[in-house]
Amino acid sequence: MPNESSTIVQRLWNYCNVLRDDGVSYGDYVEQLTYLLFLKMADEQTKPPFNKSSIIPKELDWQSLIERDGDSLEVHYRHILESLGKEKGMLGVIFRKAQNKIQDPAKLKRLIELINNETWTGLDIDIKGEIYEGLLQKNAEDVKGGAGQYFTPRPLIKAIVECIRPEPGQTIHDPACGTGGFLLAAHEYISKNYRLDKEQKRFLKHNTFSGRDIVDSVVRLCVMNLYLHGIGGEESPIATGDSLISDTGERYDIILTNPPFGKKSSITIVNGEGKADRESLTYERRDFWATTSNKQLNFLQHVKTITKINGKVAIVVPDNVLFEGGAGETIRRKLLAECDVHTLLRLPTGIFYAQGVKANVLFFDRKPASEKAWTEKLWIYDLRTNMHFTLKTNPLRYEHLEDFIRCYNPENRRNREETERFRAFTYEELIQRDKVSLDIFWLKDESLEDSENLPPPDILAREIAENLQSALEQFSSIYEELENR
C-alpha cells in the first residue's frame, strides 16, 4: 500500500480508537465514514475542474454540515441521513436505514474536519480504493464485530480471478457480494490485462458488475467500495435482498462468490400458545434440483441457474456440500452431469475470519442440455493437508496459491499434469463413490505419522477447535432434522 494511503488509513483509524470509548464499534465507524466520505466527494465534484451539478439537495449537502456544530450539527446530520435514505439510485442504497452512531457532537465535528482536510476526488482511484479496503480489512480483523464473515482473503480472490480470466464485455455477478472483493479483483484484472477502447471502458464501469447481499450495511460498504474504485454511476450496481428467494431471469457470463457460512436457513415461528418453534426455511424453486434448508446447497443451485450457457463459475463451498447425503447427493449428480465440473481447490484452515470453517473452491462451466454427462474429469488440488495458516502470524499470501494457478493452467485447461498435490478423478470414478462424495484426499498428514512434525501448539489448538466446531455443526443439523420429523 502506498505511504499516502496508509497514512490516511492510520489517521482515520486512530480516531476510531477515540470513538471506541463512546461504544462506537469498528463497523459503525466505517459506516459513518462512508456517509461522510460520500457527502464530501459529492461536494468536490461540484467544484473546478469538474463543475458538475450536485446529486445531493443543497440543504442536505456537505457545506450545510460543516457550517454547524454542537447539538445543531447532530440534529442536522440525522436529518441528512434520514432524508437521503429516501432518495433513488446509489444515494438511496448508501443511505438506506442510515443512523448516526456518534452521539457526541464534538467528536462528530472532529471526524467531519478530519475528512474535510483531505481532497478525496484528487486522490488516484487506486489510492482511494486502497484506503477504503484498508478500513474494511481492519473492520474484518475486529473479531468482536463479526464483520469478517463478509471478507474473503484477498490473495485467494486474486488467484481465483486469475484462473477464471474475465474478459471485456462479459457480465460478472456475485449473489453474496459482501464488501465487493470479487468484483473489484475482476475489475482490476480486466483493466490491467486489456487495452480497452472508449466503449469497453464505459461497459466496464456501468454494465459489467452486479451483486446482491442480504445485509443493508454490507451493501452500503460494497457500493461505496465500488464507487471509490470507479465502478458504477448514479444507479447502484448492488441490490439489497435474498438472492435465493427467486430466479430473477437475469443470466451472467461469470459468477464469482463466497456465500455466507452457516449451514441452515431457519425462521422462528411462534404458535398460538406463545411457544417458539424453529422451522427450517426452504426455498421452493422450480429451477432447483432438490429442496433443502442447507443454504450452501441452495446457493450452488442458484448459481447454476443464473449462469449463461458456457458461462464460468467459481464458488467457495464448505466441506458438507461435498459429502452430505440426500439433497446433497442429488445436487452433485446433477451438477456433474449438466455442467463441466473441472476443478476443486481444497482450502487450508485458518484463512477465514469466520472460525471453524473447512472450505473449498469449486470451478465449473454451465453447459447446454446433453444426454451425455459434461464432466469428464474433476481435478482436485489439495492445499489443506500439512498446510498451516493463521490470520495474524502466518496469513495466506498470494505466493502460497501460485502453484495452484500453475496447475490449473488457465491458458489451456485441457493440458494439465498431475503433481503430488494435484490429481484427476474421472466421472465414472466420482459417481461410483458413496453418495457421489467429492470429499477426496490422498496425501498423508505428516503430523499423524511423526510427532516431531507437529505444528506449533497454537496452530494445533486452533485446528482441534475448528474440527470440534465443524463436528458440532454437523451434530446440530442432524438433531434439527430429527426434531422436525
Side-chain angles (χ1 to χ4, degrees):
M1 184 184 277
N3 285 341
E4 190 176 359
S5 60
S6 55
T7 308
I8 300 172
V9 168
Q10 207 49 56
R11 207 176 303 148
L12 288 170
W13 213 249
N14 287 344
Y15 193 60
C16 174
N17 294 327
V18 174
L19 293 171
R20 294 280 281 177
D21 299 337
D22 288 2
V24 179
S25 72
Y26 287 119
D28 289 341
Y29 179 63
V30 176
E31 221 171 40
Q32 301 305 309
L33 277 177
T34 301
Y35 308 143
L36 296 169
L37 270 179
F38 193 87
L39 291 170
K40 174 69 161 71
M41 287 173 66
D43 180 64
E44 289 174 4
Q45 291 282 339
T46 64
K47 300 188 167 84
F50 310 103
N51 298 320
K52 292 182 180 174
S53 55
S54 179
I55 58 168
I56 294 170
K58 192 159 179 55
E59 67 279 7
L60 303 172
D61 66 4
W62 182 251
Q63 293 303 322
S64 74
L65 199 58
I66 57 173
E67 289 163 2
R68 291 173 165 82
D69 55 24
D71 289 343
S72 162
L73 169 67
E74 204 267 331
V75 170
H76 185 61
Y77 180 50
R78 267 192 287 130
H79 173 60
I80 287 175
L81 297 183
E82 198 178 310
S83 304
L84 293 181
K86 295 169 186 166
E87 295 285 323
K88 290 187 171 64
M90 188 185 280
L91 259 184
V93 173
I94 284 187
F95 291 94
R96 182 179 147 105
K97 295 184 185 173
Q99 291 179 317
N100 174 27
K101 299 286 176 68
I102 304 171
Q103 307 302 335
D104 182 339
K107 287 178 179 165
L108 177 61
K109 181 75 176 173
R110 173 77 190 97
L111 181 58
I112 289 168
E113 285 171 350
L114 205 64
I115 290 169
N116 200 43
N117 289 339
E118 301 291 341
T119 306
W120 297 88
T121 317
L123 291 173
D124 183 276
I125 277 179
D126 285 348
I127 293 175
K128 273 189 300 211
E130 280 191 50
I131 289 169
Y132 201 69
E133 274 281 293
L135 292 169
L136 291 176
Q137 173 104 34
K138 283 180 177 288
N139 185 25
E141 287 166 4
D142 177 28
V143 181
K144 297 178 287 301
Q149 62 183 304
Y150 307 110
F151 201 88
T152 309
R154 291 329 191 220
L156 175 61
I157 287 178
K158 185 171 190 275
I160 290 170
V161 168
E162 291 199 8
C163 290
I164 291 286
R165 292 189 149 192
E167 296 171 14
Q170 290 181 322
T171 51
I172 301 170
H173 182 77
D174 184 346
C177 60
T179 54
F182 276 112
L183 303 179
L184 289 174
H187 179 268
E188 184 183 11
Y189 182 89
I190 294 170
S191 302
K192 286 189 173 172
N193 286 282
Y194 297 93
R195 292 188 65 175
L196 305 176
D197 61 32
K198 199 173 176 184
E199 180 51 37
Q200 286 173 322
K201 281 180 182 170
R202 193 200 63 75
F203 190 89
L204 184 66
K205 182 179 171 70
H206 296 286
N207 304 102
T208 297
F209 302 103
S210 62
R212 234 176 150 73
D213 203 283
I214 204 163
V215 182
D216 271 317
S217 58
V218 173
V219 168
R220 185 183 349 276
L221 299 180
C222 180
V223 171
M224 189 64 180
N225 205 8
L226 298 183
Y227 179 69
L228 289 170
H229 282 86
I231 300 169
E234 286 184 20
E235 287 307 308
S236 169
I238 309 298
T240 305
D242 183 351
S243 290
L244 298 177
I245 286 289
S246 64
D247 171 17
T248 61
E250 290 288 330
R251 299 294 180 262
Y252 307 93
D253 295 302
I254 293 174
I255 306 287
L256 302 166
T257 191
N258 177 9
F261 298 134
K263 202 173 143 204
K264 295 286 173 187
S265 302
S266 61
I267 47 177
T268 302
I269 307 289
V270 180
N271 66 17
E273 294 165 13
K275 281 187 178 173
D277 187 26
R278 279 172 72 78
E279 237 182 56
S280 290
L281 178 61
T282 52
Y283 296 89
E284 296 291 339
R285 294 259 306 256
R286 286 185 146 177
D287 54 308
F288 279 13
W289 294 311
T291 300
T292 171
S293 59
N294 181 319
K295 212 188 303 181
Q296 273 84 26
L297 286 172
N298 283 330
F299 261 106
L300 189 56
Q301 296 183 91
H302 175 68
V303 156
K304 180 274 307 179
T305 290
I306 62 173
T307 307
K308 285 182 184 176
I309 300 298
N310 296 319
K312 299 176 179 180
V313 173
I315 178 171
V316 179
V317 294
D319 278 10
N320 70 70
V321 165
L322 305 183
F323 61 72
E324 196 168 290
E329 180 181 346
T330 303
I331 290 163
R332 286 190 295 278
R333 278 187 192 279
K334 290 283 194 182
L335 194 69
L336 291 169
E338 295 183 24
C339 300
D340 179 8
V341 187
H342 54 81
T343 313
L344 178 71
L345 168 61
R346 291 180 69 87
L347 293 170
T349 57
I351 65 168
F352 291 102
Y353 291 95
Q355 293 298 304
V357 170
K358 290 190 166 184
N360 315 265
V361 186
L362 194 60
F363 296 83
F364 64 89
D365 297 350
R366 186 169 181 196
K367 292 294 182 184
S370 162
E371 288 183 16
K372 185 175 177 287
W374 275 104
T375 302
E376 292 175 8
K377 279 182 184 175
L378 172 64
W379 288 79
I380 301 178
Y381 188 97
D382 185 350
L383 189 63
R384 186 180 302 173
T385 309
N386 303 318
M387 302 297 274
H388 305 285
F389 295 99
T390 58
L391 290 172
K392 296 246 169 97
T393 53
N394 184 30
L396 180 77
R397 294 191 304 276
Y398 176 73
E399 49 264 38
H400 295 129
L401 292 148
E402 285 180 325
D403 185 56
F404 165 67
I405 299 169
R406 230 179 348 264
C407 289
Y408 185 103
N409 197 8
E411 294 86 3
N412 182 5
R413 271 204 295 108
R414 303 284 159 210
N415 189 17
R416 289 174 165 180
E417 290 178 9
E418 289 196 341
T419 67
E420 185 189 11
R421 288 196 177 270
F422 195 49
R423 281 208 182 163
F425 298 85
T426 65
Y427 174 75
E428 287 71 27
E429 287 176 284
L430 297 173
I431 57 163
Q432 282 165 18
R433 289 175 57 81
D434 182 39
K435 296 179 187 167
V436 194
S437 170
L438 305 181
D439 188 31
I440 303 171
F441 42 90
W442 59 92
L443 292 172
K444 280 187 175 173
D445 189 332
E446 288 168 8
S447 62
L448 298 177
E449 301 289 312
D450 182 359
S451 59
E452 287 179 14
N453 280 321
L454 284 172
D458 60 326
I459 291 179
L460 202 58
R462 195 204 66 244
E463 287 181 355
I464 291 168
E466 285 175 346
N467 285 331
L468 285 171
Q469 199 162 335
S470 183
L472 277 172
E473 274 181 23
Q474 287 177 48
F475 280 131
S476 66
S477 70
I478 292 167
Y479 172 70
E480 274 178 37
E481 280 167 22
L482 290 171
E483 215 182 18
N484 289 332
R485 278 182 184 175

